[in-house]
Amino acid sequence: MGTTAKEEMTHFWEKNTKSNRPLSPHVTIYKCWGVTWGLLVAGGAGDASPGLSGAVSVAGVSLFGVAALLLPEQFPHYLALLRSLALGPALICSAKFALAFPFTYHTWNGIRHLV
């Protein structure tokens, strides 16, 4: 007669408790996290984890979408408002980069994962 899932799980945890092994390596065992770890966190694991670039892209698109629905004026009004602030080219270029980089990085990381 077969065992139930609960019995299998109980047997598994009893065996692991007796062997006194850790469940999995923890990040504290690494002396240096390195480039690979940083790329994994930034881009995601590929399967189900979006990473920071995916989370930032989703948050940015969601914020702009909600703003487009809730703000009372049309887009040209807000564009004229930004132009009237007379921000320097360095700040404008930095802002454009901050908006485009997460999306671009996440896209290329996804293509790399598919290849």
Side-chain angles (χ1 to χ4, degrees):
M1 184 178 290
T3 59
T4 65
K6 187 173 183 175
E7 291 170 345
E8 288 289 330
M9 190 171 61
T10 304
H11 174 69
F12 171 79
W13 285 113
E14 286 174 356
K15 184 178 76 174
N16 277 348
T17 305
K18 289 177 187 174
S19 66
N20 202 22
R21 288 182 286 177
L23 294 177
S24 63
H26 194 265
V27 294
T28 58
I29 68 169
Y30 300 109
K31 294 179 182 171
C32 177
W33 287 352
V35 174
T36 306
W37 181 86
L39 292 174
L40 177 66
V41 169
D47 298 334
S49 169
L52 291 177
S53 63
V56 168
S57 295
V58 167
V61 168
S62 299
L63 180 68
F64 280 113
V66 169
L69 288 173
L70 298 179
L71 291 175
E73 297 291 332
Q74 297 294 320
F75 180 72
H77 170 75
Y78 297 109
L79 189 57
L81 180 67
L82 279 175
R83 287 185 178 153
S84 70
L85 295 175
L87 303 171
L91 185 60
I92 291 173
C93 187
S94 299
K96 287 179 180 180
F97 181 80
L99 290 172
F101 181 75
F103 177 75
T104 306
Y105 180 84
H106 192 70
T107 301
W108 284 109
N109 193 49
I111 291 169
R112 180 195 59 85
H113 179 71
L114 288 174
V115 169

